[in-house]
């Protein structure tokens, strides 16, 4: 554990511990993966201004996201099938986030259910909603999130049709895993994972199975998504979802200035500048490359968050400098989880915190909330 110094170290370990089809599910993007790569690469082009002889004592990374106090402005992004990276994955990641003091967002497509996560946490978590054709089921999901005292609803806008990820098709991805010889080999070669999985009953989409009409099991995520995700979703729908939910609402998947302005008009509390981690529209720009123009366009009318490609605390600070009030990590926490379970998620957060703290000091700032365009070289 002491030699795990970077998110890349956690990724290497996860690759060795998680069955290939699930590791690949995390480590993949749409089609050529050009947007997935750009998300990470474009951060490298941004440079900080180094400042010296500035008092750097008493530093703080504390901030707020949608009015909630956070130990650092880094939430865990909603990720589907997290409970396949590690047994009970969503419950463990939520606990790690709670102990660290950052928000955890549970995906609609999670393995552990809203109720499972609520049963092991004390503070409210956030719930991410996909809008499906079965409106009764969507309403029941919103009501279940309310009953679990979730403090924000994250409405994902960029997956009404599933982008194609070649690795998932080649691997025959499914949850629970299928038992062809290839899958048996992939799973059997990760004995620690197998033992853990044998010890949990949480191996399918527990928000859905047994709750949505006619869904007994989900063997193919992509065929279910094709049938169930509602391609008619439009800006008008945001109003009834907002009304039914009645709490803080975050709109996820904005990548265009025009859409950001529309989102601000809905009265939502925040937008997430995001391309779904490069998993949807391959050929779309990286999130970090469009963040500034979107933040400038909406100004103070709506809080701006971003995700995509964050692999270090430095990346978080760059996003803050370019106008984000908060950020999210997807793969970094999944790699931590796959590598070392709950401790790995904590480790991912600690790595990011340390990198943020040292960078903040070397940029001559004491408060993370002071980071702005001035701290970048341009
Ligand atoms: C394995 C995986 C599953 C995901 N599942 C969801 C999901 O169910 N709902 C959603 O809104 N976003 C989902 N996302 C997108 C993330 O919320 C987030 O936008 C993305 O991971 C950020 O990029 P990063 O992984 O580079 O940090 C998923 C991402 C990954 C990697």
């Amino acid at each position: 554990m002491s030699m795990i110094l970077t998110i890349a170290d956690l990724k290497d370990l996860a690759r060795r511990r998680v069955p290939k089809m699930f590791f690949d599910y995390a480590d993949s993007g749409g089609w050529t993966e050009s947007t997935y790569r750009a998300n990470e690469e474009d951060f490298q082009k941004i440079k900080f201004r180094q400042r010296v002889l500035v008092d750097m004592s008493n530093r703080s990374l504390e901030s707020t996201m949608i009015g909630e106090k956070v130990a650092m402005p880094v939430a865990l992004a909603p990720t589907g099938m997290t409970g396949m990276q590690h047994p009970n994955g969503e419950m463990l990641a939520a606990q790690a986030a709670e102990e660290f003091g950052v928000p955890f967002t549970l995906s609609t497509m999670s393995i552990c259910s809203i109720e499972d996560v609520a049963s092991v946490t004390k503070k409210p978590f956030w719930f991410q909603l996909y809008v499906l054709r079965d409106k009764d089921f969507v309403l029941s999901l919103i009501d279940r999130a309310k009953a679990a005292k979730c403090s924000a609803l994250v409405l994902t806008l960029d997956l009404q049709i599933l982008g194609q990820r070649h690795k998932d098709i080649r691997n025959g991805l499914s949850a629970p895993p299928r038992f062809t010889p290839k899958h048996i080999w992939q799973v059997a070669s990760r004995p620690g994972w197998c033992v853990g999985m044998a010890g949990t009953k949480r191996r399918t989409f527990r928000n859905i199975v047994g709750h949505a009409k006619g869904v007994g099991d989900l063997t193919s995520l992509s065929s279910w998504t094709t049938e169930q995700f509602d391609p008619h979703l439009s800006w008008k729908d945001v109003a009834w979802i907002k009304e039914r939910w009645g709490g803080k609402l975050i709109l996820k998947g904005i990548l265009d200035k025009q859409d950001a302005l529309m989102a601000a008009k809905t009265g939502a509390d925040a937008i997430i500048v995001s391309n779904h981690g490069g998993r949807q529209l391959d050929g779309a720009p990286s999130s970090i490359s469009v963040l500034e123009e979107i933040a400038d366009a909406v100004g103070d009318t709506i809080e701006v968050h971003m995700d995509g490609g964050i692999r270090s605390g430095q990346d978080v600070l760059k996003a803050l400098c370019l106008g984000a009030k908060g950020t999210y990590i997807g793969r970094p926490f999944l790699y931590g989880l796959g590598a070392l379970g709950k401790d790995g998620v904590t480790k991912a957060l600690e790595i990011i915190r340390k990198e943020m703290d040292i960078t903040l000091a070397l940029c001559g700032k004491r408060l993370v909330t002071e980071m702005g365009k001035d701290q970048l070289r341009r």
Side-chain angles (χ1 to χ4, degrees):
M1 184 87 147
S2 60
M3 275 306 137
I4 292 177
L5 302 176
T6 65
I7 298 299
D9 293 337
L10 287 171
K11 180 174 179 178
D12 285 345
L13 192 52
R15 192 193 303 275
R16 281 181 269 138
R17 296 202 165 164
V18 177
K20 182 174 170 9
M21 70 187 118
F22 298 119
F23 177 83
D24 282 355
Y25 171 65
D27 183 25
S28 60
W31 286 320
T32 69
E33 303 193 332
S34 70
T35 299
Y36 176 27
R37 283 191 300 277
N39 272 352
E40 294 181 20
E41 286 164 7
D42 286 355
F43 273 108
Q44 306 307 316
K45 299 175 190 156
I46 302 167
K47 301 294 171 197
F48 292 109
R49 283 175 67 201
Q50 172 180 296
R51 304 300 309 277
V52 295
L53 297 184
V54 184
D55 180 359
M56 51 175 76
S57 57
N58 298 322
R59 293 183 302 283
S60 169
L61 300 180
E62 275 183 23
S63 185
T64 58
M65 289 172 75
I66 53 160
E68 290 184 21
K69 219 170 145 193
V70 290
M72 61 184 188
V74 183
L76 302 196
T79 53
M81 287 213 262
T82 302
M84 287 288 138
Q85 303 294 329
H86 190 283
N88 302 327
E90 291 89 354
M91 293 157 75
L92 298 177
Q95 286 178 319
E98 176 173 287
E99 285 163 26
F100 202 93
V102 295
F104 171 79
T105 319
L106 183 72
S107 164
T108 294
M109 302 306 294
S110 56
I111 300 295
C112 304
S113 65
I114 299 174
E115 293 77 13
D116 288 331
V117 174
S119 74
V120 295
T121 51
K122 290 179 218 76
K123 288 191 228 144
F125 57 96
W126 297 354
F127 180 67
Q128 175 265 325
L129 182 71
Y130 277 132
V131 180
L132 309 169
R133 288 179 199 260
D134 180 347
K135 290 294 165 306
D136 287 343
F137 177 59
V138 174
L139 293 175
S140 80
L141 274 175
I142 296 176
D143 293 347
R144 285 166 61 197
K146 263 202 240 183
K149 303 206 165 27
C150 291
S151 58
L153 188 73
V154 176
L155 178 62
T156 297
L157 309 177
D158 62 358
L159 199 143
Q160 292 316 112
I161 180 168
L162 191 66
Q164 181 166 319
R165 300 159 207 152
H166 297 320
K167 285 178 198 157
D168 293 350
I169 297 172
R170 293 198 171 106
N171 285 330
L173 177 77
S174 70
R178 283 193 216 120
F179 287 100
T180 65
K182 183 168 83 179
H183 294 107
I184 292 171
W185 166 247
Q186 284 190 13
V187 168
S189 60
R190 301 289 183 273
W193 184 93
C194 288
V195 171
M197 277 297 170
T200 179
K201 55 183 188 216
R202 301 182 184 88
R203 292 193 287 255
T204 189
F205 296 94
R206 285 167 61 89
N207 279 333
I208 299 165
V209 174
H211 292 278
K213 269 185 267 137
V215 183
D217 213 337
L218 288 183
T219 40
S220 166
L221 177 60
S222 70
S223 67
W224 194 80
T225 318
T226 312
E227 283 162 30
Q228 288 298 324
F229 282 48
D230 186 354
H232 301 101
L233 186 71
S234 77
W235 286 106
K236 286 200 290 279
D237 294 297
V238 177
W240 67 258
I241 294 165
K242 186 170 184 297
E243 159 108 30
R244 177 75 172 213
W245 168 245
K248 294 272 168 77
L249 179 68
I250 302 175
L251 301 179
K252 176 173 187 283
I254 303 281
L255 211 57
D256 186 272
K257 195 162 75 175
Q258 216 59 44
D259 286 341
L261 292 169
M262 304 273 277
K265 282 199 202 126
T266 63
D269 297 274
I271 53 171
I272 310 179
V273 175
S274 171
N275 50 33
H276 216 102
R279 297 163 76 76
Q280 285 294 96
L281 179 62
D282 187 39
S286 66
S287 307
I288 192 67
S289 69
V290 295
L291 173 63
E292 185 176 14
E293 70 177 60
I294 290 177
D296 286 350
V298 299
D300 290 336
T301 57
I302 191 162
E303 193 166 302
V304 177
H305 299 171
M306 79 78 70
D307 74 20
I310 291 176
R311 298 292 176 268
S312 72
Q314 293 215 325
D315 295 342
V316 173
L317 290 180
K318 288 172 182 176
L320 300 183
C321 288
L322 291 172
K325 171 106 172 120
T327 64
Y328 299 73
I329 49 168
R331 295 175 183 92
F333 98 81
L334 291 178
Y335 296 146
L337 185 68
L340 296 160
K342 181 181 165 191
D343 288 348
V345 178
T346 305
K347 187 77 187 172
L349 291 167
E350 282 169 357
I351 289 169
I352 288 175
R353 175 169 62 194
K354 189 165 183 192
E355 290 163 342
M356 281 175 78
D357 180 51
I358 295 175
T359 305
L360 187 70
L362 294 173
C363 287
K365 289 285 167 197
R366 293 199 288 203
L367 304 179
V368 79
T369 47
E370 291 172 350
M371 289 298 274
K373 289 182 193 175
D374 262 7
Q375 276 63 60
L376 298 179
R377 272 186 63 84
R378 20 212 2 231

